[in-house]
Structure formats: structure tokens, C-alpha cells
Amino acid sequence: PDAVAPPAPSPPNSPAPGSGRLAAHRGGRVLNLDLHDVACVEIEDTIAFAWTPEGRFRLNGTLAELEERLPGPAFVQVSRSAIVQLRWVKHLEPLGAGVWLASLEDPVDKTVRVARRRVKVLRELLGWWPGDSAAVWWLRWCLRGPGTRPQTVHPVLAVGDRSPTPL
């Protein structure tokens, strides 16, 4: 019989597909979201939403309650209103005054503000070590392997510029 190749492993610290679920609401229906597919959770006007490749879903609970249900260290609170799953972070971009934006991979294609007090922790979890330049971080990120690195843009930014520039 022909051997079937095993599925590709998930990135480190990422929930395996089917390993956990999160109840969500959309269009009057209650759905179970696979935690593997949840890119981020955000609070908008006191309502929690999960962002997945299929779109935005309403959740029950506060950000603190949701943080307890999301497995760490795969999910990290990056501000008072957002939690991101590390495997979905495409790149970080400085916004100014110590605040950064985390851009999430396609098809979610969303940006999330990272609070000044959470930038250092997020950068370390993503492999951006103290003293690294953006170019060194990009190279280290790319060496992590397929499926765990940004595909289209990188965080090397000119001073004062908010658009990616080539290496």
C-alpha cells in the first residue's frame, strides 16, 4: 500500500489543528472556531471579536476571560484590547512614540496596535533579540522555516517611513 505523508507540523507553540475550540457567534448562529485558525481577538466597543481566515466572529466574555481560555504562549496579549496568536504575525512596524503595529498574515490581513509596554515581550517571543537591527531580525525570522515566516513583506523601515523597504 502507498504510504501517506504525515501532515506538516505546526509552528512551535502553536495549537495543533483541532486541539481546541472557541464558541463564537455570527449571523444568529453559534459556531465552534478551531483555535489554530484564530489569528487575533480584539475588543471593539466592549464586544470581543475573533479574526480568522473566514472573517470576524463575535465572542462572549471579556479580554481577561478569553485570555484564560486561549493557550499560552501561542496567544499573547499585545494591548488592553487585543490578543494575537504568534504564528499569524507577519511583521512588526513602528508607528511612533514606542507604539508598534503587528500585521497579520493573509487571508486575515489585519493590523493590530501593540502597546508600548508589550513591544519588548512580543519582539522577544518572535525572535527579535535585544540589540538586533530590523534586518538581523528579518534574517533570523526567515531561517525559522517554511510556514512560520512572512511571505511578502519585511519590517526593515527607513527612519520616519512607514512603508517596507528592500534589504
Side-chain angles (χ1 to χ4, degrees):
D2 293 333
V4 177
S10 295
N13 301 325
S14 175
S19 67
R21 300 272 179 199
L22 191 61
H25 306 270
R26 183 191 240 179
R29 296 175 51 193
V30 177
L31 307 161
N32 281 319
L33 301 179
D34 189 337
L35 290 180
H36 184 76
D37 294 332
V38 175
C40 76
V41 173
E42 257 189 329
I43 301 293
E44 297 175 14
D45 297 325
T46 71
I47 299 171
F49 292 96
W51 290 84
T52 73
E54 289 79 36
R56 184 174 90 154
F57 297 85
R58 187 174 56 82
L59 302 173
N60 289 331
T62 65
L63 198 64
E65 293 167 347
L66 292 166
E67 185 178 24
E68 288 179 15
R69 294 193 309 213
L70 298 171
F75 289 90
V76 177
Q77 186 170 357
V78 295
S79 70
R80 289 182 182 174
S81 62
I83 297 171
V84 298
Q85 184 174 174
L86 293 176
R87 77 179 204 90
W88 284 95
V89 176
K90 179 171 34 177
H91 71 274
L92 296 175
E93 181 178 333
L95 190 60
V99 176
W100 289 60
L101 290 179
S103 293
L104 304 179
E105 292 279 359
D106 294 332
V108 175
D109 197 29
K110 176 168 181 47
T111 58
V112 178
R113 289 179 72 100
V114 180
R116 190 176 15 222
R117 62 186 173 83
R118 302 296 298 167
V119 170
K120 181 179 178 186
V121 171
L122 184 59
R123 286 172 48 171
E124 288 172 359
L125 288 170
L126 292 172
W128 195 335
W129 300 330
D132 276 358
S133 67
V136 169
W137 175 79
W138 175 254
L139 292 172
R140 195 172 282 125
W141 182 283
C142 288
L143 294 173
R144 290 174 59 179
T148 62
R149 63 176 186 247
Q151 299 295 318
T152 56
V153 295
H154 56 81
V156 180
L157 303 172
V159 175
D161 187 9
R162 291 192 182 154
S163 60
T165 56
L167 283 173

